[in-house]
């Protein structure tokens, strides 16, 4: 199976590195500066459980000439439009595109460009970050990529999804096929916006927020809002998933923060519109009140304008 990984950052780079290490036919589509760094140092995974390096096969925009079997699209939402144009030559009639973005707005964009049949839903869960040297730093032993067809009967696994799952699992990636992948994407969206709102609103780690007077009430309140939007959209969050989210955002002393928070405190642009703007717009359309999520959205929009002007 010919695999193209779009981006070689903390998420796509990690999955791609696992696939390459397992001997799969993997190519990374990257920007010229990233390509130069990877050619010099290799694609390195460091941190938990030691250090290892793969020598990646690389292409840059304009060098793609033929379709791939699988495209893992791992970019920030702010770079989605450009990535779509860059990757278009690699998407043929039999290509499966699996986006690894959070939220749901990208699905409509990808469907419009490549057709709904080509686009699968995807939910990535890893605990990695890109360090100052450009290496992928693994912070926990999690490599989870749930994916599936957008519109198939519940519990059905198509032949191509079965083939992709076999390849991913052969590389050590947990690759379940949810009964409804769009529901799984909604549930991840609830988690990431709850996590992002708690930390970005208070400008602190989970533990710093929770340990402050009044802090323990914030996580459950934000989660209630996000879960109410999902339920109104037809994707209620099961109690066990609510409990798992609360365990993350209501942990005393926890140093955890999402990548959105890291971008915020570093003065970089964030995915505010893709994650928060879209969710709060859907909440209004569905008649769901989300005052805390609205406040988080406004806070991030103010930052976004400041970052754009910097």
């Amino acid at each position: 199976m010919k695999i193209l990984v779009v981006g070689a950052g903390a998420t796509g780079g990690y999955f791609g590195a696992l696939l390459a290490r397992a001997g799969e036919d993997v190519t990374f589509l990257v920007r010229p500066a990233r390509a130069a760094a990877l050619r010099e140092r290799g694609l390195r995974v460091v941190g938990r459980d030691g250090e290892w390096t793969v020598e990646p096969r690389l292409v840059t925009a304009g060098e793609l000439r033929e379709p791939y079997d699988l495209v893992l699209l791992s970019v920030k939402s702010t770079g989605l439009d450009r990535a779509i144009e860059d990757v278009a030559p690699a998407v043929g009639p039999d290509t499966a595109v699996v986006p690894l973005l959070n939220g749901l707005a990208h699905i409509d964009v990808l469907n419009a460009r490549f057709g709904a049949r080509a686009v699968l839903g995807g939910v990535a869960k890893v605990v990695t970050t890109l360090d100052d040297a450009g290496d992928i730093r693994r912070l926990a032993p999690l490599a989870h990529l749930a994916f599936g067809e957008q519109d198939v009967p519940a519990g059905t696994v198509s032949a191509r999804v079965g083939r992709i799952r076999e390849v991913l699992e052969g590389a050590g990636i947990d690759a379940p096929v949810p009964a409804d992948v769009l529901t799984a994407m909604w549930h991840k969206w609830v988690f990431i916006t709850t996590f992002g709102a708690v930390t970005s609103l208070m400008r602190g780690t989970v533990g710093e927020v929770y340990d402050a007077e009044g802090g323990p009430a914030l996580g459950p309140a934000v989660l209630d809002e996000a879960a109410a939007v999902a339920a109104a959209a037809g994707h209620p969050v099961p109690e066990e998933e609510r409990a798992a989210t609360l365990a993350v955002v209501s942990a005393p002393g926890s140093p955890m923060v999402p990548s959105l928070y890291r971008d915020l405190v570093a003065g970089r642009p964030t995915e505010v519109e893709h994650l928060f703007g879209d969710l709060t717009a859907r909440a209004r359309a569905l008649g769901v009140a989300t005052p805390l999520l609205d406040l988080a959205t406004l806070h991030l929009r103010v930052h976004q304008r400041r970052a754009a002007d910097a």
Side-chain angles (χ1 to χ4, degrees):
M1 180 177 290
K2 288 185 60 179
I3 303 169
L4 180 68
V5 179
V6 184
T11 299
Y14 182 52
F15 285 129
L18 288 171
L19 288 162
R21 187 172 68 162
E24 297 295 338
D25 183 357
V26 181
T27 301
F28 295 85
L29 174 61
V30 293
R31 302 292 175 215
R34 181 67 169 147
L38 291 172
R39 289 189 178 107
E40 179 180 346
R41 291 175 55 82
L43 182 55
R44 298 157 60 95
V45 178
V46 302
R48 188 183 178 101
D49 299 330
E51 176 180 319
W52 47 277
T53 304
V54 298
E55 298 301 325
R57 183 183 299 118
L58 305 172
V59 293
T60 56
E63 295 179 340
L64 292 173
R65 296 289 183 267
E66 57 187 13
Y68 284 72
D69 300 310
L70 172 64
V71 173
L72 295 181
L73 184 61
S74 179
V75 296
K76 296 278 191 181
S77 62
T78 50
L80 178 61
D81 290 343
R82 181 176 176 182
I84 286 173
E85 294 311 310
D86 290 348
V87 79
V91 181
D94 298 316
T95 302
V97 179
V98 180
L100 306 183
L101 291 79
N102 293 313
L104 278 154
H106 61 280
I107 292 293
D108 292 337
V109 176
L110 290 166
N111 285 350
R113 182 63 176 81
F114 299 122
R117 186 190 174 281
V119 182
L120 280 63
V123 177
K125 297 180 181 179
V126 295
V127 188
T128 53
T129 187
L130 206 64
D131 66 19
D132 292 340
D135 298 338
I136 298 167
R137 187 160 295 277
R138 189 183 191 214
L139 306 176
L142 181 65
H144 176 103
L145 203 175
F147 70 105
E149 307 282 0
Q150 292 185 59
D151 187 16
V152 297
T156 301
V157 179
S158 69
R160 68 172 177 173
V161 164
R163 290 193 296 272
I164 295 168
R165 179 173 61 184
E166 184 177 351
V167 169
L168 293 174
E169 291 182 343
I173 299 167
D174 181 27
V177 179
D180 184 338
V181 73
L182 294 180
T183 292
M185 292 173 69
W186 263 100
H187 295 170
K188 173 72 181 298
W189 198 7
V190 167
F191 167 77
I192 203 68
T193 49
T194 300
F195 192 14
V198 167
T199 52
S200 64
L201 271 176
M202 298 298 107
R203 290 296 185 110
T205 67
V206 165
E208 288 171 334
V209 176
Y210 187 87
D211 294 339
E213 184 175 354
L218 182 60
V222 177
L223 175 58
D224 284 346
E225 290 185 8
V229 183
H235 304 278
V237 181
E239 188 54 44
E240 61 269 24
E241 292 205 33
R242 289 177 61 99
T245 296
L246 282 178
V248 172
V249 302
S250 301
S254 170
M256 288 191 67
V257 294
S259 60
L260 178 140
Y261 175 84
R262 291 193 291 269
D263 288 339
L264 176 68
V265 298
R268 297 188 291 262
T270 71
E271 296 183 289
V272 53
E273 296 304 333
H274 193 80
L275 295 179
F276 287 86
D278 188 29
L279 186 66
T280 54
R282 292 178 194 238
R284 288 191 294 274
L286 293 165
V288 178
T290 54
L292 290 170
L293 289 169
D294 291 345
L295 186 61
T297 304
L298 177 58
H299 176 62
L300 290 166
R301 281 173 172 160
V302 171
H303 164 80
Q304 194 80 351
R305 294 188 66 176
R306 185 180 297 142
D309 292 340

